[in-house]
């Protein structure tokens, strides 16, 4: 059988990789300006950011969206964003 590929652009990308790439691209100040969460503003570190993001789904979603913008990919629409006939 052939390999199956995921249509999710975040498939196989860890949260640590996302935060590391975003921090490298924007720096902590730039990241804090784009995603308004305290873990990026006050004593920021990869480990403290990961702890917060793993416990806080709304913040993780914001980070994932920013990462997708950084890599130029779109995440597939969730089912709740589609109308009855399957289109957006």
């Amino acid at each position: 059988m052939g390999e199956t590929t995921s249509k999710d652009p975040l498939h196989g990308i860890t949260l640590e990789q996302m935060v590391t790439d975003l921090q490298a691209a924007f720096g902590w100040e730039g990241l804090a300006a784009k995603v308004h969460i305290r873990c990026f503003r006050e004593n920021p570190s990869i480990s403290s950011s990961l702890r917060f993001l793993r416990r806080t789904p709304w913040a993780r979603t914001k980070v994932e969206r920013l990462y997708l913008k950084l890599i130029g990919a779109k995440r597939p629409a969730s089912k709740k964003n589609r109308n009855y006939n399957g289109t957006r």
Side-chain angles (χ1 to χ4, degrees):
M1 293 211 152
E3 287 185 34
T4 58
T5 57
S6 174
K7 292 185 181 201
D8 183 359
L10 295 178
H11 180 76
I13 299 173
T14 64
L15 184 58
E16 182 175 10
Q17 182 180 350
M18 280 187 257
V19 173
T20 301
D21 291 350
L22 289 169
Q23 193 277 327
F26 302 114
W28 290 116
E29 286 183 20
L31 196 50
K34 292 183 179 299
V35 182
H36 301 283
I37 53 177
R38 188 179 307 157
C39 69
F40 293 155
R41 286 193 321 260
E42 298 176 14
N43 299 318
S45 71
I46 299 293
S47 63
S48 67
S49 298
L50 291 174
R51 274 193 304 274
F52 177 77
L53 293 169
R54 286 181 180 133
R55 292 185 220 160
T56 317
W58 63 264
R60 183 179 180 139
T61 299
K62 288 184 176 194
V63 168
E64 288 174 347
R65 286 182 183 155
L66 181 60
Y67 185 77
L68 290 172
K69 286 181 184 178
L70 177 69
I71 64 171
K74 290 187 178 182
R75 187 171 204 170
S78 66
K79 290 180 182 176
K80 66 183 177 183
N81 289 336
R82 296 176 184 210
N83 66 19
Y84 67 94
N85 66 0
T87 59
R88 287 176 30 164

